[in-house]
Amino acid sequence: MPRFTEDFVPLIPWLGVMLVGQGMSGLLDLKKFDIAENKISKLLALMGKHGLIIYLIHQPLLFANFILVDQFV
């Protein structure tokens, strides 16, 4: 059966990748990855904290753009 959206991806294959990443993150010394405080890193941190809201807002905007392009093409 063909997929009609790329948002649907089976959970099981990616669950293993996520678990490997979680396991390896405990091995890293996170103090080595200290990020400098500047406007770009603050913006990226803000976007990371509100990622779900950004995702939920951009989806209707993206599909509205697709509809507008379809009307004019």
Side-chain angles (χ1 to χ4, degrees), residues 57-71:
I57 290 172
H58 102 278
Q59 284 292 319
L61 294 176
L62 188 66
F63 281 103
N65 285 332
F66 288 152
I67 292 169
L68 285 173
V69 168
D70 186 48
Q71 295 294 320

Side-chain angles (χ1 to χ4, degrees), residues 40-69:
I40 294 173
S41 65
K42 287 181 182 181
L43 177 65
L44 289 174
L46 182 68
M47 290 171 59
K49 288 179 185 176
H50 302 290
L52 179 61
I53 294 169
I54 293 170
Y55 176 78
L56 291 175
I57 290 172
H58 102 278
Q59 284 292 319
L61 294 176
L62 188 66
F63 281 103
N65 285 332
F66 288 152
I67 292 169
L68 285 173
V69 168

Side-chain angles (χ1 to χ4, degrees), residues 5-71:
T5 177
E6 289 298 319
D7 286 350
F8 171 75
V9 178
L11 178 67
I12 299 300
W14 294 108
L15 181 64
V17 174
M18 193 249 345
L19 291 175
V20 167
Q22 288 286 320
M24 291 180 68
S25 69
L27 302 174
L28 294 175
D29 182 20
L30 295 179
K31 292 178 182 166
K32 287 195 287 187
F33 298 102
D34 195 20
I35 297 174
E37 295 270 337
N38 59 35
K39 290 181 182 180
I40 294 173
S41 65
K42 287 181 182 181
L43 177 65
L44 289 174
L46 182 68
M47 290 171 59
K49 288 179 185 176
H50 302 290
L52 179 61
I53 294 169
I54 293 170
Y55 176 78
L56 291 175
I57 290 172
H58 102 278
Q59 284 292 319
L61 294 176
L62 188 66
F63 281 103
N65 285 332
F66 288 152
I67 292 169
L68 285 173
V69 168
D70 186 48
Q71 295 294 320

